[in-house]
Amino acid sequence: MNRSARLPRIGVLANADSWYFQDLQRAARGKALLERLEFSSLQSRIGAGESISAETILSENFDAVIVRTMPLGSLEQVVFRMDALAGLERQGVLIINPPKSMELAIDKYLSLSKLSAAGYRVPQTHVCQTWQDAMAAFEEIGPSVVVKPIFGGEGRGIMRVEDADLAHRVFKTLQQMGQIIYLQKFVPHPGYDLRVLVLGERMWGMRRTSADSWRTNLSRGASATLAPIPDDVAQVARQAMQTLELSIAGLDFLPDGEGGWYLLEANAVPGWKGLSAACDVDVAAELMDYVVARINDQRKAPYPSGASGPESC
């Protein structure tokens, strides 16, 4: 069968029990053929050209790869995984999100630094390596700060610190563990934030509300409702996507209590289960349509230099 005539083949890097992979499988019926891939199975052979595989040679068998998970790993593992995805991209495989963009978004410090440099309003943040420097920052930007891991999501590892003695113990422990100390000034808010999911040119907004916690993650019991996206937030969301060169992302905005908004972070592997229900939108179908359209556009274009593309089947 000619490559341009067959259904697109899409690999999805996802956990074995991933609800999102199942949702994408449902949405892909009649549009594309999906196969789940494991990050741990990625491997590369270099010699007569580079061959990147996950049981099968990916550039010869897949038109695109969607990243739906980012498992923990050593620095070497994380770097190699991103390198392997970048290699596939050079060979003409569409990666959603692009590896360099994921590297930016996954690293809270790097992404916030780039967003701040581009002029977006972000919370006052201090990143350091010693407990002494962290205490000095706490005294300056406190008396209430939020301590976060640079890598991570869904509210894991995040804590609010308001007491100097507790801050001293937390910062010392993080240093002893070899962790970077990342603290942000706590921004008082009315118990909700705004998650904006952006996919290509489309976006949807939901208000995440928590009645008994300053954290509004749905995985921690917050509720979600459809929310209009203010014009200024929509403009920042579009520009932030361009700044980080993302195809799909969840952007978190926090009201400042004075009619303005802080941009907290960009999630390059966003969930959509709660948003789909809140906004009555089939995000998986929207994503599949987006990826298939990108694949079709790519099929019409010549392959990058040195890339042969998938063989006909």
Side-chain angles (χ1 to χ4, degrees):
M1 182 185 297
N2 184 275
R3 173 177 169 269
S4 62
R6 63 171 171 79
L7 284 178
R9 293 190 65 186
I10 301 172
V12 181
L13 285 161
N15 298 326
D17 58 350
S18 171
W19 177 90
Y20 292 99
F21 176 67
Q22 295 172 12
D23 200 31
L24 288 170
Q25 274 189 314
R26 171 195 59 78
R29 294 189 186 107
K31 300 177 183 178
L33 303 174
L34 261 61
E35 182 174 331
R36 192 181 69 83
L37 305 173
E38 292 274 1
F39 258 117
S40 60
S41 67
L42 286 177
Q43 53 188 299
S44 176
R45 178 168 296 179
I46 302 171
E50 184 177 17
S51 173
I52 299 170
S53 62
E55 297 183 0
T56 60
I57 298 177
L58 296 178
S59 62
E60 294 181 0
N61 290 279
F62 292 93
D63 300 284
V65 171
I66 298 172
V67 181
R68 263 310 320 162
T69 186
M70 188 55 61
L72 296 176
S74 68
L75 177 61
E76 286 188 348
Q77 287 174 316
V78 172
V79 169
F80 169 70
R81 291 165 184 170
M82 292 298 101
D83 289 345
L85 292 179
L88 286 174
E89 193 174 47
R90 290 193 300 271
Q91 294 172 8
V93 179
L94 175 66
I95 310 295
I96 303 294
N97 276 298
K100 288 300 180 184
S101 301
M102 280 194 296
E103 288 177 8
L104 275 174
I106 290 167
D107 183 336
K108 286 187 175 69
Y109 164 68
L110 186 57
S111 59
L112 202 69
S113 173
K114 189 161 185 177
L115 291 170
S116 178
Y120 306 114
R121 189 182 183 204
V122 301
Q124 189 174 355
T125 303
H126 192 91
V127 185
C128 57
Q129 300 180 68
T130 69
W131 69 265
Q132 294 95 333
D133 289 338
M135 284 303 302
F138 174 78
E139 293 171 3
E140 180 184 352
I141 69 176
S144 181
V145 300
V146 177
V147 182
K148 301 179 178 181
I150 281 187
F151 305 116
E154 297 183 336
R156 293 187 296 268
I158 297 178
M159 65 183 303
R160 182 179 175 184
V161 178
E162 300 177 280
D163 177 78
D165 290 336
L166 177 59
H168 181 268
R169 292 196 295 272
V170 169
F171 300 153
K172 260 197 167 180
T173 300
L174 290 173
Q175 180 180 334
Q176 291 168 354
M177 294 172 61
Q179 300 294 309
I180 295 296
I181 306 172
Y182 181 106
L183 57 152
Q184 283 184 333
K185 184 179 182 65
F186 178 77
V187 179
H189 60 88
Y192 70 87
D193 67 4
L194 179 64
R195 161 59 69 94
V196 177
L197 181 68
V198 186
L199 172 61
E201 298 298 320
R202 305 201 64 188
M203 67 174 65
W204 304 269
M206 70 172 174
R207 174 182 288 196
R208 302 183 300 186
T209 304
S210 178
D212 55 4
S213 174
W214 55 272
R215 288 182 289 191
T216 56
N217 307 87
L218 299 186
S219 60
R220 294 183 174 274
S223 61
T225 55
L226 174 67
I229 304 172
D231 291 342
D232 55 341
V233 170
Q235 181 178 358
V236 169
R238 291 190 184 94
Q239 293 172 344
M241 294 289 289
Q242 294 173 3
T243 297
L244 300 179
E245 300 181 32
L246 292 162
S247 301
I248 180 173
L251 305 175
D252 294 336
F253 291 87
L254 192 64
D256 66 0
E258 300 177 354
W261 297 84
Y262 287 98
L263 174 55
L264 294 183
E265 61 183 58
N267 186 336
V269 188
W272 61 74
K273 192 173 185 178
L275 186 137
S276 287
C279 300
D280 193 23
V281 58
D282 190 340
V283 176
E286 296 281 352
L287 178 55
M288 290 310 309
D289 289 343
Y290 173 83
V291 174
V292 169
R294 289 280 305 273
I295 290 170
N296 290 335
D297 288 342
Q298 197 159 286
R299 284 174 171 179
K300 298 172 186 175
Y303 283 102
S305 176
S308 59
E311 300 294 331
S312 60
C313 59

